Amino acid sequence: MNKLQYSESKTLKLTNVLKYKINLTDENFNFQAEIEKMQSYIKTKGAVQIGPLIQYTDSYINDDGEIDMDIILMMQANNFIHSVEAPYTMESLIRVSRCMYCRYIGPEEKLKLALDKINVEAFEKDDELKGDSYTIFVSENEEEETMVADIFMPRKEG
């Protein structure tokens, strides 16, 4: 059962967020290994992971006039972790209002359809998006090869 559920205006609220910025030039980067390191880090600091993995993506024009991208992995914890060491940072609250939202249910390789849905809706409503997005990986069913993900894309102010 593939599905897109769209909503025009939602607020994303995350608390006690551990953040890790991916080095996109690192050819040895292992996505799953980094997730496990983050989960382990939260545990060693005496906290418990709350909720699923969140991926923040921001695309922008760099100093050379080329399109560039930042990807930050985020996990919420039950407590704020003080004195967080590099490569991690911690934020007590992330609140993003005026987001266009889409819940995606389907195969992982077609997740981009949810982003496309939001972009088409924004285009039709003459809304301008900021260009960043938050993808919350709600669940995955490997047997049925489906996933559930929530995507939030903030609008530009004004």
Side-chain angles (χ1 to χ4, degrees):
M1 171 183 75
N2 299 333
K3 211 155 107 168
L4 293 174
Q5 294 171 307
Y6 170 77
S7 180
E8 193 157 317
S9 187
K10 288 244 186 195
T11 297
L12 174 65
K13 181 183 173 194
L14 306 171
T15 55
N16 301 325
V17 183
L18 183 70
K19 298 166 63 176
Y20 172 76
K21 184 176 178 180
I22 295 175
N23 179 355
L24 296 173
T25 60
D26 181 2
E27 294 174 14
N28 299 320
F29 179 77
N30 181 326
F31 194 80
Q32 193 57 44
E34 288 306 325
I35 292 168
E36 289 168 11
K37 283 183 198 172
M38 288 179 77
Q39 290 169 330
S40 176
Y41 187 83
I42 289 171
K43 281 182 192 165
T44 60
K45 293 295 185 173
V48 176
Q49 179 184 345
I50 303 293
L53 174 72
I54 302 147
Q55 179 178 301
Y56 171 76
T57 306
D58 185 20
S59 45
Y60 56 91
I61 306 295
N62 67 18
D63 296 337
D64 299 328
E66 298 168 348
I67 294 178
D68 211 342
M69 181 182 299
D70 286 335
I71 298 176
I72 298 172
L73 301 180
M74 300 190 281
M75 287 182 187
Q76 296 180 92
N78 64 336
N79 298 315
F80 185 82
I81 301 170
H82 296 276
S83 64
V84 172
E85 300 93 2
Y88 303 116
T89 57
M90 191 81 187
E91 256 183 84
S92 60
L93 178 67
I94 296 174
R95 181 188 293 273
V96 189
S97 57
R98 301 187 68 242
C99 291
M100 294 180 111
Y101 163 86
C102 190
R103 168 159 277 191
Y104 172 80
I105 303 170
E108 187 174 346
E109 63 271 8
K110 294 191 176 179
L111 176 61
K112 183 184 176 307
L113 290 172
L115 294 164
D116 293 344
K117 170 78 173 164
I118 293 172
N119 280 300
V120 167
E121 292 286 344
F123 173 77
E124 288 180 344
K125 290 174 176 52
D126 253 349
D127 264 342
E128 262 195 275
L129 298 170
K130 287 185 178 179
D132 55 345
S133 67
Y134 296 82
T135 302
I136 301 170
F137 297 95
V138 178
S139 68
E140 193 170 358
N141 184 335
E142 290 180 20
E143 288 174 12
E144 295 179 21
E145 296 182 2
T146 60
M147 69 178 308
V148 177
D150 291 337
I151 299 181
F152 293 80
M153 294 181 75
R155 293 181 173 89
K156 283 189 176 176
E157 298 300 319

